[in-house]
Amino acid sequence: MKQRPIRWSVYAGLTPAILIVVFAYIGTIIWTVGISFTDSRMLPVARFAGFSQYVRLFGTERWLTSIQNMVIFGVLMIAISLALGFLLAVALDQRIRAEGFLRTIILYPYAMSFIVTGLVWQWILNPTLGIEQTVRGWGFENFRFDWIIRKETAIYCVVLAAVWHAAGLVMAIMLAGLRGIDPDLWKASRIDGVKPWRFYWHIVVPILRPSFISATVLLSLGVVKLYDLVLVLTGGGPGFSSDVPAKFVMDYLFQRQNIGLATAAATTLLITLLCALTPWLYAEYFRAEKRKD
Amino acid sequence: MSTPPAKIHHVRMGEGPSGRAPKSIGPARIGIYAFLVISALFFLLPLYVMIITSIKPMEEIRLGGLFSLPTTVTFEPWAKAWSSACTGLDCRGISPGFWNSVKILVPSVFCSIFVGALTGYALSFWRVRFANLLFAALLLGAFLPYQVFIYPLVRIYSATGLFSTIYALVLTHVIFGLPVITLLFRNYYAGIPIDLFKAARVDGGRFFSIFFRLMLPMSIPMLVVAVILQVTGIWNDFIMGLTFGGLANRPMTVQLTNLVAPTEGEIAYNVNMAATIMTAAVPLIVYFVSGRWFVRGIAAGAVKG
């Protein structure tokens, strides 16, 4: 594989990828980071302003709230989706009837867009229209389920909608993992009389570690990119109580016309992610790379 | 990300369960079924709400809340949502958005998969200088949030006159689809015996002829997976359409948010939900038709190369 001279046609084939990487990724990142060190507001100006945008950013309560929300959302959404998806996969793996049908129902939300997901949950959670209204109509006059209009609980509505969207994905990944487990293990455990829950907890979960990692990575991508779901579900409100970083950046770029602050926020996200991801990506992709022939 | 690819290729979601065989109908079985049924209801609830509300007249929605079954069934909300509901002064329903999405989808899916497959092929079989560097940069593109790239892209598209054209959207989908599609094909080609490639080289195959005549025909399964992945992803895109589509090329998702935005007077929930179902229809159909291929597609995004 590695003895031939390099041909121009290989590079012709790679041209689109190289152009994209150089201009669309690296170029735009440098540009974004560059703006964040100027005192641009509505229009980009090339006056160097040091870290003043960053100082202003971390003095902005809305930004701090959005970071806090991202952490709350990330921890809860990933934990609940993993737990629910895993339990569903285990339940589906018990030789039950209508397994295919149930699988289809559990996974279909993942095919829906966040816009559709957000809209429909907004209607269901709306106190004057959805669940609260319906239960009151059954005669429970004092029933309250108004999370979506209360500042301290709005973010949990986002978690709920996101779990509905993503639990099926976890289920699919876990089920694939379960089906890959050696059948002899089950037999051995049964002969030894191991209790089912112990068997699952001590043997199956460790075996499925790669599946848990895959699912966690996929879900984490959604956490950082979380934008459209919040936009249609709560609009970041009430106030800015359910705002998230991606939405903060978009608002300051295109509505509030403060690109200096917006790019500083984007750069903060970028650096945080790089610190978190680089060691992991390196270990995952570049250590001991071997072709499997 | 560390599932061996071989595993994924041989996983058949339809295979028999591997769990313990049930001994008898005991409390444990009942518990499992109860858990599954309650979960199924939770997942079905939004779909149920959307469907029944979209065929109710407004009087009933006013009286009954969202969950009661309609006593009179009407398909007028669907007709209205499709062709006459108003977004501001524009009263053409959601259909212009649908056709915009189709116009964006077809070239975007084709171009993004072509470029991704070609890149994956080049990185898998050919000696490329800085291949690791290129690959690392692609991974970055996959993991970083769009907000890091978006403002400069707006400026570039504006400067080149591409802004709010179909080309800008297609190009954007190629740019942000490249990492995943490249990974997909790189994983797939990693499983193809290198001797096959060497034989093709000995037969005088060149870079492009080997790609078009040998590798691309061999990767039909991956092409199917990539098409499913991209059709769902691009159809469901909102942020790119919102940012680069301008007024002329709003995809259906953007059109939908404008359509359901509260205006004066009563909110027509039945029309709004009909429009929402229509927006979800394409990916849902893809999902129901493709079955386990869809699962392979989403799993493939998480497989290590």
Side-chain angles (χ1 to χ4, degrees):
Chain A
M1 187 181 164
K2 298 230 170 195
Q3 290 86 21
R4 307 190 171 274
I6 295 169
R7 291 161 198 287
W8 65 267
S9 57
V10 180
Y11 288 95
L14 277 173
T15 301
I18 292 169
L19 287 178
I20 286 173
V21 163
V22 170
F23 289 100
Y25 297 165
I26 299 170
T28 54
I29 287 176
I30 292 171
W31 192 338
T32 298
V33 174
I35 294 175
S36 74
F37 287 106
T38 65
D39 54 9
S40 309
R41 286 188 72 88
M42 229 177 100
L43 294 165
V45 288
R47 261 200 315 272
F48 182 73
F51 284 95
S52 65
Q53 297 284 14
Y54 292 86
V55 173
R56 194 177 314 156
L57 178 70
F58 281 91
T60 308
E61 201 189 329
R62 185 178 160 184
W63 171 249
L64 299 175
T65 306
S66 69
I67 295 257
Q68 190 187 330
N69 280 337
M70 186 169 78
V71 174
I72 294 174
F73 173 84
V75 170
L76 284 179
M77 194 275 280
I78 291 176
I80 299 172
S81 299
L82 284 179
L84 182 60
F86 175 70
L87 289 174
L88 285 168
V90 168
L92 285 172
D93 202 32
Q94 306 296 317
R95 298 179 201 275
I96 51 145
R97 281 162 206 274
E99 188 210 312
F101 175 69
L102 284 166
R103 241 178 20 220
T104 307
I105 287 176
I106 295 166
L107 186 58
Y108 90 89
Y110 195 73
M112 302 262 214
S113 61
F114 279 122
I115 297 295
V116 171
T117 304
L119 282 174
V120 68
W121 279 103
Q122 178 214 309
W123 287 318
I124 293 173
L125 296 169
N126 181 338
T128 56
L129 179 74
I131 294 174
E132 180 176 301
Q133 174 74 8
T134 304
V135 176
R136 285 186 179 187
W138 294 339
F140 301 94
E141 291 301 331
N142 298 325
F143 179 79
R144 279 185 66 191
F145 187 53
D146 54 356
W147 285 10
I148 202 159
I149 54 166
R150 299 216 334 254
K151 278 191 170 193
E152 54 279 7
T153 48
I155 189 71
Y156 300 116
C157 291
V158 183
V159 173
L160 175 67
V163 166
W164 177 82
H165 185 259
L169 165 79
V170 180
M171 180 277 298
I173 293 174
M174 295 294 167
L175 198 55
L178 284 170
R179 299 276 146 99
I181 292 177
D182 187 351
D184 292 345
L185 269 179
W186 310 96
K187 288 186 195 129
S189 84
R190 217 167 313 147
I191 292 165
D192 293 345
V194 181
K195 283 204 170 59
W197 69 266
R198 292 195 59 141
F199 176 76
Y200 273 101
W201 186 246
H202 291 291
I203 303 201
V204 173
V205 171
I207 290 178
L208 288 186
R209 197 170 158 257
S211 305
F212 275 99
I213 292 173
S214 298
T216 308
V217 168
L218 278 182
L219 295 175
S220 314
L221 290 185
V223 171
V224 181
K225 293 182 176 174
L226 176 69
Y227 165 69
D228 22 11
L229 181 63
V230 174
L231 187 72
V232 291
L233 186 65
T234 64
F240 50 75
S241 61
S242 60
D243 201 6
V244 285
K247 188 169 178 301
F248 179 96
V249 176
M250 294 295 284
D251 283 356
Y252 276 81
L253 276 182
F254 300 113
Q255 279 162 14
R256 310 194 45 157
Q257 303 280 339
N258 190 336
I259 55 172
L261 203 63
T263 49
T267 307
T268 308
L269 275 185
L270 169 79
I271 288 169
T272 316
L273 272 174
L274 284 184
C275 293
L277 284 174
T278 311
W280 175 79
L281 283 180
Y282 183 80
E284 193 69 29
Y285 286 91
F286 293 103
R287 218 183 30 196
E289 279 243 323
K290 286 195 194 76
R291 252 195 90 88
K292 301 169 207 63
D293 288 1
Chain B
M1 300 241 103
S2 39
T3 331
K7 269 270 165 57
I8 288 289
H9 292 317
H10 299 303
V11 163
R12 294 277 174 272
M13 294 294 289
E15 266 178 19
S18 52
R20 298 153 166 255
K23 290 190 196 66
S24 60
I25 302 290
R29 294 296 284 171
I30 294 167
I32 288 169
Y33 274 109
F35 170 60
L36 283 172
V37 169
I38 291 166
S39 302
L41 290 177
F42 165 67
F43 288 111
L44 277 174
L45 179 81
L47 195 61
Y48 166 82
V49 166
M50 279 196 287
I51 291 170
I52 60 159
T53 311
S54 73
I55 53 175
K56 265 186 209 172
M58 271 317 284
E59 304 79 67
E60 278 190 49
I61 297 174
R62 256 176 250 131
L63 296 172
L66 281 189
F67 301 95
S68 52
L69 283 166
T71 44
T72 18
V73 170
T74 163
F75 288 101
E76 200 195 335
W78 281 72
K80 222 171 151 179
W82 178 249
S83 56
S84 67
C86 292
T87 316
L89 293 175
D90 178 4
C91 288
R92 287 179 300 160
I94 194 99
S95 52
F98 175 86
W99 295 116
N100 279 345
S101 275
V102 172
K103 271 191 307 198
I104 296 163
L105 183 79
V106 176
S108 299
V109 169
F110 179 82
C111 296
S112 63
I113 292 176
F114 178 75
V115 174
L118 191 64
T119 310
Y121 157 78
L123 290 177
S124 299
F125 293 110
W126 294 81
R127 195 172 125 208
V128 179
R129 236 182 249 223
F130 310 122
N132 269 354
L133 203 64
L134 187 66
F135 188 64
L138 281 178
L139 282 177
L140 282 187
F143 286 103
L144 295 177
Y146 303 130
Q147 284 71 24
V148 179
F149 313 101
I150 219 160
Y151 178 74
L153 282 177
V154 170
R155 298 284 309 278
I156 292 169
Y157 289 152
S158 302
T160 50
L162 287 175
F163 191 76
S164 89
T165 62
I166 289 280
Y167 300 107
L169 283 166
V170 173
L171 187 56
T172 309
H173 287 308
V174 171
I175 288 171
F176 292 110
L178 182 70
V180 173
I181 305 295
T182 301
L183 256 181
L184 210 63
F185 281 90
R186 187 172 167 270
N187 292 343
Y188 185 73
Y189 290 139
I192 289 179
I194 191 83
D195 293 344
L196 194 75
F197 172 76
K198 284 181 179 155
R201 295 280 291 143
V202 170
D203 281 348
R206 296 281 171 83
F207 178 82
F208 283 105
S209 65
I210 292 178
F211 176 64
F212 284 110
R213 288 165 55 190
L214 178 70
M215 293 303 169
L216 213 49
M218 277 187 67
S219 35
I220 299 274
M222 262 311 108
L223 287 170
V224 174
V225 167
V227 166
I228 292 167
L229 209 62
Q230 289 299 82
V231 168
T232 359
I234 293 169
W235 189 272
N236 286 341
D237 159 67
F238 172 81
I239 194 168
M240 301 304 167
L242 179 76
T243 312
F244 303 113
L247 292 175
N249 290 307
R250 277 184 192 151
M252 203 170 177
T253 44
V254 178
Q255 189 87 350
L256 177 69
T257 53
N258 293 324
L259 193 89
V260 303
T263 46
E264 285 95 60
E266 190 183 43
I267 301 173
Y269 286 112
N270 48 7
V271 174
N272 288 354
M273 297 217 190
T276 309
I277 297 175
M278 290 177 195
T279 310
V282 169
L284 272 184
I285 291 166
V286 168
Y287 168 69
F288 286 122
V289 170
S290 62
R292 64 183 176 79
W293 288 91
F294 182 87
V295 179
R296 275 179 72 175
I298 55 176
V303 181
K304 181 186 167 178

